[in-house]
PDB file of all heavy atoms in Angstrom:
ATOM      1  N   ILE A  22     -15.573   7.692   3.918  1.00  0.00           N
ATOM      2  CA  ILE A  22     -16.033   6.332   4.170  1.00  0.00           C
ATOM      3  C   ILE A  22     -17.185   6.385   5.180  1.00  0.00           C
ATOM      4  O   ILE A  22     -17.160   7.191   6.116  1.00  0.00           O
ATOM      5  CB  ILE A  22     -14.899   5.418   4.656  1.00  0.00           C
ATOM      6  CG1 ILE A  22     -15.346   3.952   4.691  1.00  0.00           C
ATOM      7  CG2 ILE A  22     -14.398   5.844   6.058  1.00  0.00           C
ATOM      8  CD1 ILE A  22     -14.214   2.982   4.904  1.00  0.00           C
ATOM      9  N   SER A  23     -18.190   5.540   4.951  1.00  0.00           N
ATOM     10  CA  SER A  23     -19.298   5.472   5.866  1.00  0.00           C
ATOM     11  C   SER A  23     -19.814   4.031   5.863  1.00  0.00           C
ATOM     12  O   SER A  23     -19.452   3.234   4.998  1.00  0.00           O
ATOM     13  CB  SER A  23     -20.410   6.443   5.476  1.00  0.00           C
ATOM     14  OG  SER A  23     -20.891   6.177   4.181  1.00  0.00           O
ATOM     15  N   ARG A  24     -20.652   3.726   6.847  1.00  0.00           N
ATOM     16  CA  ARG A  24     -21.179   2.361   6.923  1.00  0.00           C
ATOM     17  C   ARG A  24     -22.602   2.364   7.413  1.00  0.00           C
ATOM     18  O   ARG A  24     -23.028   3.281   8.144  1.00  0.00           O
ATOM     19  CB  ARG A  24     -20.325   1.469   7.817  1.00  0.00           C
ATOM     20  CG  ARG A  24     -20.265   1.913   9.262  1.00  0.00           C
ATOM     21  CD  ARG A  24     -19.279   1.104  10.059  1.00  0.00           C
ATOM     22  NE  ARG A  24     -19.714  -0.293  10.270  1.00  0.00           N
ATOM     23  CZ  ARG A  24     -18.999  -1.202  10.882  1.00  0.00           C
ATOM     24  NH1 ARG A  24     -17.769  -0.924  11.326  1.00  0.00           N
ATOM     25  NH2 ARG A  24     -19.467  -2.432  11.054  1.00  0.00           N
ATOM     26  N   ASN A  25     -23.338   1.313   7.049  1.00  0.00           N
ATOM     27  CA  ASN A  25     -24.679   1.067   7.548  1.00  0.00           C
ATOM     28  C   ASN A  25     -24.583  -0.264   8.300  1.00  0.00           C
ATOM     29  O   ASN A  25     -24.524  -1.333   7.661  1.00  0.00           O
ATOM     30  CB  ASN A  25     -25.660   0.993   6.380  1.00  0.00           C
ATOM     31  CG  ASN A  25     -27.081   0.802   6.848  1.00  0.00           C
ATOM     32  OD1 ASN A  25     -27.346   0.064   7.807  1.00  0.00           O
ATOM     33  ND2 ASN A  25     -28.005   1.444   6.173  1.00  0.00           N
ATOM     34  N   ASN A  26     -24.547  -0.198   9.598  1.00  0.00           N
ATOM     35  CA  ASN A  26     -24.340  -1.425  10.399  1.00  0.00           C
ATOM     36  C   ASN A  26     -25.502  -2.414  10.209  1.00  0.00           C
ATOM     37  O   ASN A  26     -25.274  -3.620  10.183  1.00  0.00           O
ATOM     38  CB  ASN A  26     -24.199  -1.052  11.862  1.00  0.00           C
ATOM     39  CG  ASN A  26     -22.871  -0.355  12.145  1.00  0.00           C
ATOM     40  OD1 ASN A  26     -21.895  -0.518  11.423  1.00  0.00           O
ATOM     41  ND2 ASN A  26     -22.835   0.449  13.204  1.00  0.00           N
ATOM     42  N   ALA A  27     -26.683  -1.874  10.075  1.00  0.00           N
ATOM     43  CA  ALA A  27     -27.859  -2.773   9.946  1.00  0.00           C
ATOM     44  C   ALA A  27     -27.788  -3.591   8.670  1.00  0.00           C
ATOM     45  O   ALA A  27     -28.281  -4.710   8.593  1.00  0.00           O
ATOM     46  CB  ALA A  27     -29.143  -1.953   9.993  1.00  0.00           C
ATOM     47  N   LYS A  28     -27.152  -3.005   7.647  1.00  0.00           N
ATOM     48  CA  LYS A  28     -27.086  -3.693   6.330  1.00  0.00           C
ATOM     49  C   LYS A  28     -25.706  -4.291   6.099  1.00  0.00           C
ATOM     50  O   LYS A  28     -25.460  -4.854   5.026  1.00  0.00           O
ATOM     51  CB  LYS A  28     -27.397  -2.709   5.216  1.00  0.00           C
ATOM     52  CG  LYS A  28     -28.827  -2.151   5.237  1.00  0.00           C
ATOM     53  CD  LYS A  28     -29.080  -1.255   4.052  1.00  0.00           C
ATOM     54  CE  LYS A  28     -30.500  -0.731   4.043  1.00  0.00           C
ATOM     55  NZ  LYS A  28     -30.783   0.138   2.880  1.00  0.00           N
ATOM     56  N   ASN A  29     -24.798  -4.175   7.073  1.00  0.00           N
ATOM     57  CA  ASN A  29     -23.434  -4.663   6.900  1.00  0.00           C
ATOM     58  C   ASN A  29     -22.832  -4.148   5.575  1.00  0.00           C
ATOM     59  O   ASN A  29     -22.241  -4.904   4.789  1.00  0.00           O
ATOM     60  CB  ASN A  29     -23.346  -6.185   6.933  1.00  0.00           C
ATOM     61  CG  ASN A  29     -23.340  -6.716   8.331  1.00  0.00           C
ATOM     62  OD1 ASN A  29     -23.014  -6.009   9.297  1.00  0.00           O
ATOM     63  ND2 ASN A  29     -23.775  -7.965   8.505  1.00  0.00           N
ATOM     64  N   THR A  30     -23.042  -2.870   5.338  1.00  0.00           N
ATOM     65  CA  THR A  30     -22.603  -2.254   4.080  1.00  0.00           C
ATOM     66  C   THR A  30     -21.663  -1.080   4.387  1.00  0.00           C
ATOM     67  O   THR A  30     -21.883  -0.348   5.335  1.00  0.00           O
ATOM     68  CB  THR A  30     -23.820  -1.758   3.283  1.00  0.00           C
ATOM     69  OG1 THR A  30     -24.691  -2.860   3.016  1.00  0.00           O
ATOM     70  CG2 THR A  30     -23.377  -1.130   1.964  1.00  0.00           C
ATOM     71  N   VAL A  31     -20.641  -0.984   3.581  1.00  0.00           N
ATOM     72  CA  VAL A  31     -19.712   0.155   3.697  1.00  0.00           C
ATOM     73  C   VAL A  31     -19.682   0.880   2.345  1.00  0.00           C
ATOM     74  O   VAL A  31     -19.789   0.250   1.301  1.00  0.00           O
ATOM     75  CB  VAL A  31     -18.308  -0.355   4.116  1.00  0.00           C
ATOM     76  CG1 VAL A  31     -17.686  -1.265   3.074  1.00  0.00           C
ATOM     77  CG2 VAL A  31     -17.391   0.813   4.428  1.00  0.00           C
ATOM     78  N   TYR A  32     -19.483   2.185   2.430  1.00  0.00           N
ATOM     79  CA  TYR A  32     -19.485   3.030   1.259  1.00  0.00           C
ATOM     80  C   TYR A  32     -18.184   3.824   1.174  1.00  0.00           C
ATOM     81  O   TYR A  32     -17.584   4.116   2.203  1.00  0.00           O
ATOM     82  CB  TYR A  32     -20.653   4.006   1.278  1.00  0.00           C
ATOM     83  CG  TYR A  32     -21.994   3.336   1.512  1.00  0.00           C
ATOM     84  CD1 TYR A  32     -22.561   3.241   2.785  1.00  0.00           C
ATOM     85  CD2 TYR A  32     -22.724   2.800   0.418  1.00  0.00           C
ATOM     86  CE1 TYR A  32     -23.778   2.632   2.992  1.00  0.00           C
ATOM     87  CE2 TYR A  32     -23.952   2.199   0.649  1.00  0.00           C
ATOM     88  CZ  TYR A  32     -24.467   2.115   1.914  1.00  0.00           C
ATOM     89  OH  TYR A  32     -25.683   1.489   2.130  1.00  0.00           O
ATOM     90  N   LEU A  33     -17.814   4.180  -0.009  1.00  0.00           N
ATOM     91  CA  LEU A  33     -16.688   5.081  -0.203  1.00  0.00           C
ATOM     92  C   LEU A  33     -17.097   6.135  -1.217  1.00  0.00           C
ATOM     93  O   LEU A  33     -17.258   5.829  -2.418  1.00  0.00           O
ATOM     94  CB  LEU A  33     -15.437   4.333  -0.687  1.00  0.00           C
ATOM     95  CG  LEU A  33     -14.197   5.191  -0.796  1.00  0.00           C
ATOM     96  CD1 LEU A  33     -13.719   5.631   0.611  1.00  0.00           C
ATOM     97  CD2 LEU A  33     -13.058   4.454  -1.522  1.00  0.00           C
ATOM     98  N   GLU A  34     -17.284   7.335  -0.761  1.00  0.00           N
ATOM     99  CA  GLU A  34     -17.612   8.443  -1.644  1.00  0.00           C
ATOM    100  C   GLU A  34     -16.318   9.125  -2.042  1.00  0.00           C
ATOM    101  O   GLU A  34     -15.539   9.570  -1.183  1.00  0.00           O
ATOM    102  CB  GLU A  34     -18.566   9.429  -0.967  1.00  0.00           C
ATOM    103  CG  GLU A  34     -19.037  10.528  -1.891  1.00  0.00           C
ATOM    104  CD  GLU A  34     -20.243  11.259  -1.334  1.00  0.00           C
ATOM    105  OE1 GLU A  34     -20.721  10.901  -0.255  1.00  0.00           O
ATOM    106  OE2 GLU A  34     -20.698  12.221  -2.015  1.00  0.00           O
ATOM    107  N   MET A  35     -16.082   9.188  -3.350  1.00  0.00           N
ATOM    108  CA  MET A  35     -14.832   9.698  -3.872  1.00  0.00           C
ATOM    109  C   MET A  35     -15.094  10.938  -4.700  1.00  0.00           C
ATOM    110  O   MET A  35     -15.863  10.886  -5.671  1.00  0.00           O
ATOM    111  CB  MET A  35     -14.135   8.642  -4.730  1.00  0.00           C
ATOM    112  CG  MET A  35     -13.949   7.295  -4.006  1.00  0.00           C
ATOM    113  SD  MET A  35     -13.002   6.103  -4.973  1.00  0.00           S
ATOM    114  CE  MET A  35     -14.169   5.791  -6.299  1.00  0.00           C
ATOM    115  N   ASN A  36     -14.463  12.033  -4.332  1.00  0.00           N
ATOM    116  CA  ASN A  36     -14.616  13.309  -5.049  1.00  0.00           C
ATOM    117  C   ASN A  36     -13.264  13.781  -5.549  1.00  0.00           C
ATOM    118  O   ASN A  36     -12.198  13.319  -5.078  1.00  0.00           O
ATOM    119  CB  ASN A  36     -15.235  14.337  -4.122  1.00  0.00           C
ATOM    120  CG  ASN A  36     -16.611  13.962  -3.628  1.00  0.00           C
ATOM    121  OD1 ASN A  36     -17.486  13.602  -4.426  1.00  0.00           O
ATOM    122  ND2 ASN A  36     -16.828  14.045  -2.317  1.00  0.00           N
ATOM    123  N   SER A  37     -13.298  14.727  -6.447  1.00  0.00           N
ATOM    124  CA  SER A  37     -12.082  15.304  -7.008  1.00  0.00           C
ATOM    125  C   SER A  37     -11.076  14.242  -7.456  1.00  0.00           C
ATOM    126  O   SER A  37      -9.900  14.296  -7.150  1.00  0.00           O
ATOM    127  CB  SER A  37     -11.413  16.218  -5.937  1.00  0.00           C
ATOM    128  OG  SER A  37     -12.282  17.240  -5.529  1.00  0.00           O
ATOM    129  N   LEU A  38     -11.588  13.300  -8.195  1.00  0.00           N
ATOM    130  CA  LEU A  38     -10.747  12.185  -8.609  1.00  0.00           C
ATOM    131  C   LEU A  38      -9.689  12.643  -9.618  1.00  0.00           C
ATOM    132  O   LEU A  38      -9.929  13.531 -10.433  1.00  0.00           O
ATOM    133  CB  LEU A  38     -11.627  11.092  -9.224  1.00  0.00           C
ATOM    134  CG  LEU A  38     -12.443  10.290  -8.196  1.00  0.00           C
ATOM    135  CD1 LEU A  38     -13.619   9.570  -8.860  1.00  0.00           C
ATOM    136  CD2 LEU A  38     -11.523   9.299  -7.497  1.00  0.00           C
ATOM    137  N   THR A  39      -8.562  12.015  -9.530  1.00  0.00           N
ATOM    138  CA  THR A  39      -7.443  12.313 -10.425  1.00  0.00           C
ATOM    139  C   THR A  39      -7.028  10.974 -11.121  1.00  0.00           C
ATOM    140  O   THR A  39      -7.370   9.893 -10.641  1.00  0.00           O
ATOM    141  CB  THR A  39      -6.232  12.870  -9.700  1.00  0.00           C
ATOM    142  OG1 THR A  39      -5.613  11.835  -8.919  1.00  0.00           O
ATOM    143  CG2 THR A  39      -6.647  13.993  -8.768  1.00  0.00           C
ATOM    144  N   PRO A  40      -6.282  11.065 -12.198  1.00  0.00           N
ATOM    145  CA  PRO A  40      -5.832   9.831 -12.854  1.00  0.00           C
ATOM    146  C   PRO A  40      -5.028   8.937 -11.914  1.00  0.00           C
ATOM    147  O   PRO A  40      -5.020   7.700 -12.115  1.00  0.00           O
ATOM    148  CB  PRO A  40      -4.975  10.355 -14.012  1.00  0.00           C
ATOM    149  CG  PRO A  40      -5.591  11.698 -14.326  1.00  0.00           C
ATOM    150  CD  PRO A  40      -5.997  12.269 -13.017  1.00  0.00           C
ATOM    151  N   GLU A  41      -4.393   9.514 -10.912  1.00  0.00           N
ATOM    152  CA  GLU A  41      -3.628   8.705  -9.968  1.00  0.00           C
ATOM    153  C   GLU A  41      -4.516   7.853  -9.070  1.00  0.00           C
ATOM    154  O   GLU A  41      -4.046   6.943  -8.402  1.00  0.00           O
ATOM    155  CB  GLU A  41      -2.745   9.611  -9.079  1.00  0.00           C
ATOM    156  CG  GLU A  41      -1.553  10.258  -9.796  1.00  0.00           C
ATOM    157  CD  GLU A  41      -1.968  11.310 -10.818  1.00  0.00           C
ATOM    158  OE1 GLU A  41      -2.949  12.042 -10.559  1.00  0.00           O
ATOM    159  OE2 GLU A  41      -1.305  11.388 -11.879  1.00  0.00           O
ATOM    160  N   ASP A  42      -5.812   8.110  -9.067  1.00  0.00           N
ATOM    161  CA  ASP A  42      -6.742   7.287  -8.324  1.00  0.00           C
ATOM    162  C   ASP A  42      -7.187   6.029  -9.091  1.00  0.00           C
ATOM    163  O   ASP A  42      -7.926   5.209  -8.543  1.00  0.00           O
ATOM    164  CB  ASP A  42      -7.982   8.106  -7.918  1.00  0.00           C
ATOM    165  CG  ASP A  42      -7.650   9.234  -6.982  1.00  0.00           C
ATOM    166  OD1 ASP A  42      -6.902   9.004  -6.011  1.00  0.00           O
ATOM    167  OD2 ASP A  42      -8.143  10.362  -7.214  1.00  0.00           O
ATOM    168  N   THR A  43      -6.756   5.952 -10.320  1.00  0.00           N
ATOM    169  CA  THR A  43      -7.093   4.765 -11.136  1.00  0.00           C
ATOM    170  C   THR A  43      -6.520   3.525 -10.507  1.00  0.00           C
ATOM    171  O   THR A  43      -5.298   3.443 -10.255  1.00  0.00           O
ATOM    172  CB  THR A  43      -6.586   4.956 -12.579  1.00  0.00           C
ATOM    173  OG1 THR A  43      -7.271   6.024 -13.166  1.00  0.00           O
ATOM    174  CG2 THR A  43      -6.817   3.683 -13.378  1.00  0.00           C
ATOM    175  N   ALA A  44      -7.390   2.557 -10.242  1.00  0.00           N
ATOM    176  CA  ALA A  44      -6.972   1.329  -9.562  1.00  0.00           C
ATOM    177  C   ALA A  44      -8.165   0.405  -9.427  1.00  0.00           C
ATOM    178  O   ALA A  44      -9.314   0.813  -9.648  1.00  0.00           O
ATOM    179  CB  ALA A  44      -6.403   1.621  -8.167  1.00  0.00           C
ATOM    180  N   THR A  45      -7.892  -0.825  -9.025  1.00  0.00           N
ATOM    181  CA  THR A  45      -8.970  -1.706  -8.613  1.00  0.00           C
ATOM    182  C   THR A  45      -9.152  -1.509  -7.095  1.00  0.00           C
ATOM    183  O   THR A  45      -8.158  -1.595  -6.344  1.00  0.00           O
ATOM    184  CB  THR A  45      -8.622  -3.185  -8.910  1.00  0.00           C
ATOM    185  OG1 THR A  45      -8.493  -3.322 -10.336  1.00  0.00           O
ATOM    186  CG2 THR A  45      -9.712  -4.112  -8.433  1.00  0.00           C
ATOM    187  N   TYR A  46     -10.356  -1.250  -6.684  1.00  0.00           N
ATOM    188  CA  TYR A  46     -10.664  -1.001  -5.306  1.00  0.00           C
ATOM    189  C   TYR A  46     -11.298  -2.248  -4.688  1.00  0.00           C
ATOM    190  O   TYR A  46     -12.248  -2.798  -5.245  1.00  0.00           O
ATOM    191  CB  TYR A  46     -11.605   0.208  -5.199  1.00  0.00           C
ATOM    192  CG  TYR A  46     -10.902   1.514  -5.439  1.00  0.00           C
ATOM    193  CD1 TYR A  46     -10.461   1.858  -6.707  1.00  0.00           C
ATOM    194  CD2 TYR A  46     -10.682   2.391  -4.387  1.00  0.00           C
ATOM    195  CE1 TYR A  46      -9.769   3.046  -6.932  1.00  0.00           C
ATOM    196  CE2 TYR A  46     -10.001   3.601  -4.600  1.00  0.00           C
ATOM    197  CZ  TYR A  46      -9.547   3.904  -5.858  1.00  0.00           C
ATOM    198  OH  TYR A  46      -8.877   5.088  -6.080  1.00  0.00           O
ATOM    199  N   TYR A  47     -10.765  -2.632  -3.556  1.00  0.00           N
ATOM    200  CA  TYR A  47     -11.170  -3.854  -2.876  1.00  0.00           C
ATOM    201  C   TYR A  47     -11.816  -3.510  -1.526  1.00  0.00           C
ATOM    202  O   TYR A  47     -11.269  -2.726  -0.744  1.00  0.00           O
ATOM    203  CB  TYR A  47      -9.971  -4.776  -2.629  1.00  0.00           C
ATOM    204  CG  TYR A  47      -9.349  -5.310  -3.872  1.00  0.00           C
ATOM    205  CD1 TYR A  47      -8.286  -4.606  -4.485  1.00  0.00           C
ATOM    206  CD2 TYR A  47      -9.788  -6.493  -4.465  1.00  0.00           C
ATOM    207  CE1 TYR A  47      -7.696  -5.104  -5.642  1.00  0.00           C
ATOM    208  CE2 TYR A  47      -9.210  -6.980  -5.596  1.00  0.00           C
ATOM    209  CZ  TYR A  47      -8.150  -6.287  -6.195  1.00  0.00           C
ATOM    210  OH  TYR A  47      -7.564  -6.772  -7.345  1.00  0.00           O
ATOM    211  N   CYS A  48     -12.906  -4.172  -1.264  1.00  0.00           N
ATOM    212  CA  CYS A  48     -13.565  -4.072   0.019  1.00  0.00           C
ATOM    213  C   CYS A  48     -12.898  -5.059   0.980  1.00  0.00           C
ATOM    214  O   CYS A  48     -12.565  -6.199   0.583  1.00  0.00           O
ATOM    215  CB  CYS A  48     -15.045  -4.374  -0.145  1.00  0.00           C
ATOM    216  SG  CYS A  48     -15.991  -4.324   1.374  1.00  0.00           S
ATOM    217  N   ASN A  49     -12.762  -4.672   2.211  1.00  0.00           N
ATOM    218  CA  ASN A  49     -12.142  -5.506   3.232  1.00  0.00           C
ATOM    219  C   ASN A  49     -13.023  -5.542   4.473  1.00  0.00           C
ATOM    220  O   ASN A  49     -13.517  -4.477   4.931  1.00  0.00           O
ATOM    221  CB  ASN A  49     -10.764  -4.978   3.610  1.00  0.00           C
ATOM    222  CG  ASN A  49     -10.188  -5.669   4.827  1.00  0.00           C
ATOM    223  OD1 ASN A  49     -10.244  -5.147   5.942  1.00  0.00           O
ATOM    224  ND2 ASN A  49      -9.596  -6.830   4.637  1.00  0.00           N
ATOM    225  N   LEU A  50     -13.209  -6.714   5.018  1.00  0.00           N
ATOM    226  CA  LEU A  50     -13.935  -6.891   6.292  1.00  0.00           C
ATOM    227  C   LEU A  50     -12.973  -7.583   7.225  1.00  0.00           C
ATOM    228  O   LEU A  50     -12.403  -8.636   6.903  1.00  0.00           O
ATOM    229  CB  LEU A  50     -15.183  -7.755   6.094  1.00  0.00           C
ATOM    230  CG  LEU A  50     -16.111  -7.953   7.307  1.00  0.00           C
ATOM    231  CD1 LEU A  50     -17.520  -8.232   6.843  1.00  0.00           C
ATOM    232  CD2 LEU A  50     -15.639  -9.120   8.192  1.00  0.00           C
ATOM    233  N   ARG A  51     -12.788  -7.000   8.378  1.00  0.00           N
ATOM    234  CA  ARG A  51     -11.837  -7.546   9.349  1.00  0.00           C
ATOM    235  C   ARG A  51     -12.571  -8.020  10.604  1.00  0.00           C
ATOM    236  O   ARG A  51     -13.258  -7.226  11.260  1.00  0.00           O
ATOM    237  CB  ARG A  51     -10.786  -6.502   9.715  1.00  0.00           C
ATOM    238  CG  ARG A  51      -9.780  -6.966  10.789  1.00  0.00           C
ATOM    239  CD  ARG A  51      -8.562  -6.074  10.785  1.00  0.00           C
ATOM    240  NE  ARG A  51      -7.797  -6.209   9.556  1.00  0.00           N
ATOM    241  CZ  ARG A  51      -6.735  -5.464   9.244  1.00  0.00           C
ATOM    242  NH1 ARG A  51      -6.316  -4.536  10.091  1.00  0.00           N
ATOM    243  NH2 ARG A  51      -6.110  -5.641   8.118  1.00  0.00           N
ATOM    244  N   THR A  52     -12.450  -9.304  10.858  1.00  0.00           N
ATOM    245  CA  THR A  52     -12.915  -9.871  12.103  1.00  0.00           C
ATOM    246  C   THR A  52     -11.672 -10.438  12.788  1.00  0.00           C
ATOM    247  O   THR A  52     -10.745  -9.720  13.051  1.00  0.00           O
ATOM    248  CB  THR A  52     -13.988 -10.944  11.865  1.00  0.00           C
ATOM    249  OG1 THR A  52     -13.451 -11.997  11.060  1.00  0.00           O
ATOM    250  CG2 THR A  52     -15.191 -10.341  11.139  1.00  0.00           C
ATOM    251  N   SER A  53     -11.665 -11.722  13.039  1.00  0.00           N
ATOM    252  CA  SER A  53     -10.452 -12.358  13.511  1.00  0.00           C
ATOM    253  C   SER A  53      -9.522 -12.688  12.341  1.00  0.00           C
ATOM    254  O   SER A  53      -8.402 -13.122  12.524  1.00  0.00           O
ATOM    255  CB  SER A  53     -10.787 -13.638  14.277  1.00  0.00           C
ATOM    256  OG  SER A  53     -11.510 -14.505  13.435  1.00  0.00           O
ATOM    257  N   ARG A  54     -10.028 -12.447  11.160  1.00  0.00           N
ATOM    258  CA  ARG A  54      -9.282 -12.604   9.937  1.00  0.00           C
ATOM    259  C   ARG A  54      -9.797 -11.572   8.924  1.00  0.00           C
ATOM    260  O   ARG A  54     -10.777 -10.910   9.187  1.00  0.00           O
ATOM    261  CB  ARG A  54      -9.407 -14.015   9.352  1.00  0.00           C
ATOM    262  CG  ARG A  54     -10.853 -14.444   9.114  1.00  0.00           C
ATOM    263  CD  ARG A  54     -10.985 -15.589   8.140  1.00  0.00           C
ATOM    264  NE  ARG A  54     -10.775 -15.114   6.766  1.00  0.00           N
ATOM    265  CZ  ARG A  54     -10.910 -15.867   5.700  1.00  0.00           C
ATOM    266  NH1 ARG A  54     -11.242 -17.151   5.825  1.00  0.00           N
ATOM    267  NH2 ARG A  54     -10.735 -15.378   4.501  1.00  0.00           N
ATOM    268  N   ASP A  55      -9.117 -11.491   7.780  1.00  0.00           N
ATOM    269  CA  ASP A  55      -9.502 -10.576   6.749  1.00  0.00           C
ATOM    270  C   ASP A  55     -10.292 -11.277   5.650  1.00  0.00           C
ATOM    271  O   ASP A  55      -9.906 -12.368   5.207  1.00  0.00           O
ATOM    272  CB  ASP A  55      -8.293  -9.898   6.113  1.00  0.00           C
ATOM    273  CG  ASP A  55      -7.707  -8.816   6.993  1.00  0.00           C
ATOM    274  OD1 ASP A  55      -8.504  -8.055   7.597  1.00  0.00           O
ATOM    275  OD2 ASP A  55      -6.487  -8.716   7.055  1.00  0.00           O
ATOM    276  N   TYR A  56     -11.359 -10.639   5.217  1.00  0.00           N
ATOM    277  CA  TYR A  56     -12.101 -11.083   4.054  1.00  0.00           C
ATOM    278  C   TYR A  56     -12.014 -10.007   2.999  1.00  0.00           C
ATOM    279  O   TYR A  56     -12.000  -8.801   3.312  1.00  0.00           O
ATOM    280  CB  TYR A  56     -13.581 -11.310   4.413  1.00  0.00           C
ATOM    281  CG  TYR A  56     -13.819 -12.401   5.433  1.00  0.00           C
ATOM    282  CD1 TYR A  56     -13.859 -12.106   6.789  1.00  0.00           C
ATOM    283  CD2 TYR A  56     -13.997 -13.738   5.031  1.00  0.00           C
ATOM    284  CE1 TYR A  56     -14.053 -13.110   7.731  1.00  0.00           C
ATOM    285  CE2 TYR A  56     -14.203 -14.725   5.967  1.00  0.00           C
ATOM    286  CZ  TYR A  56     -14.239 -14.402   7.303  1.00  0.00           C
ATOM    287  OH  TYR A  56     -14.429 -15.401   8.250  1.00  0.00           O
ATOM    288  N   TRP A  57     -11.993 -10.458   1.721  1.00  0.00           N
ATOM    289  CA  TRP A  57     -11.817  -9.530   0.611  1.00  0.00           C
ATOM    290  C   TRP A  57     -12.866  -9.716  -0.447  1.00  0.00           C
ATOM    291  O   TRP A  57     -13.287 -10.839  -0.704  1.00  0.00           O
ATOM    292  CB  TRP A  57     -10.439  -9.733  -0.027  1.00  0.00           C
ATOM    293  CG  TRP A  57      -9.309  -9.430   0.873  1.00  0.00           C
ATOM    294  CD1 TRP A  57      -8.621 -10.296   1.648  1.00  0.00           C
ATOM    295  CD2 TRP A  57      -8.711  -8.139   1.101  1.00  0.00           C
ATOM    296  NE1 TRP A  57      -7.620  -9.634   2.357  1.00  0.00           N
ATOM    297  CE2 TRP A  57      -7.664  -8.327   2.024  1.00  0.00           C
ATOM    298  CE3 TRP A  57      -8.959  -6.866   0.608  1.00  0.00           C
ATOM    299  CZ2 TRP A  57      -6.890  -7.252   2.468  1.00  0.00           C
ATOM    300  CZ3 TRP A  57      -8.181  -5.816   1.033  1.00  0.00           C
ATOM    301  CH2 TRP A  57      -7.143  -6.010   1.971  1.00  0.00           C
ATOM    302  N   GLY A  58     -13.267  -8.604  -1.041  1.00  0.00           N
ATOM    303  CA  GLY A  58     -14.124  -8.673  -2.230  1.00  0.00           C
ATOM    304  C   GLY A  58     -13.232  -8.943  -3.443  1.00  0.00           C
ATOM    305  O   GLY A  58     -12.007  -8.988  -3.347  1.00  0.00           O
ATOM    306  N   THR A  59     -13.901  -9.073  -4.589  1.00  0.00           N
ATOM    307  CA  THR A  59     -13.175  -9.367  -5.821  1.00  0.00           C
ATOM    308  C   THR A  59     -12.654  -8.116  -6.509  1.00  0.00           C
ATOM    309  O   THR A  59     -11.876  -8.205  -7.449  1.00  0.00           O
ATOM    310  CB  THR A  59     -14.053 -10.157  -6.770  1.00  0.00           C
ATOM    311  OG1 THR A  59     -15.248  -9.404  -7.037  1.00  0.00           O
ATOM    312  CG2 THR A  59     -14.412 -11.520  -6.218  1.00  0.00           C
ATOM    313  N   GLY A  60     -13.121  -6.960  -6.025  1.00  0.00           N
ATOM    314  CA  GLY A  60     -12.608  -5.705  -6.557  1.00  0.00           C
ATOM    315  C   GLY A  60     -13.501  -5.086  -7.588  1.00  0.00           C
ATOM    316  O   GLY A  60     -14.236  -5.767  -8.311  1.00  0.00           O
ATOM    317  N   THR A  61     -13.451  -3.776  -7.651  1.00  0.00           N
ATOM    318  CA  THR A  61     -14.192  -3.009  -8.654  1.00  0.00           C
ATOM    319  C   THR A  61     -13.225  -1.981  -9.240  1.00  0.00           C
ATOM    320  O   THR A  61     -12.511  -1.281  -8.523  1.00  0.00           O
ATOM    321  CB  THR A  61     -15.438  -2.356  -8.071  1.00  0.00           C
ATOM    322  OG1 THR A  61     -16.200  -1.725  -9.111  1.00  0.00           O
ATOM    323  CG2 THR A  61     -15.108  -1.334  -6.991  1.00  0.00           C
TER     324      THR A  61
END
């Protein structure tokens, strides 16, 4: 996982993927509460 603070962007580089990694992946931003993306 990495982030670009200037762009408020977070990345997830995934290697050696297996079928068990199959899922919907959700982005989360935590301030005083949680915000969620719609998933990919």
Side-chain angles (χ1 to χ4, degrees):
I22 190 169
S23 60
R24 64 187 290 178
N25 183 322
N26 290 335
K28 295 183 178 180
N29 280 339
T30 301
V31 63
Y32 307 95
L33 185 68
E34 186 164 359
M35 306 185 292
N36 299 309
S37 302
L38 286 161
T39 72
E41 289 69 36
D42 295 315
T43 295
T45 298
Y46 284 70
Y47 295 91
C48 179
N49 170 263
L50 184 155
R51 177 163 294 175
T52 60
S53 58
R54 54 160 286 186
D55 283 320
Y56 297 91
W57 295 94
T59 57
T61 185

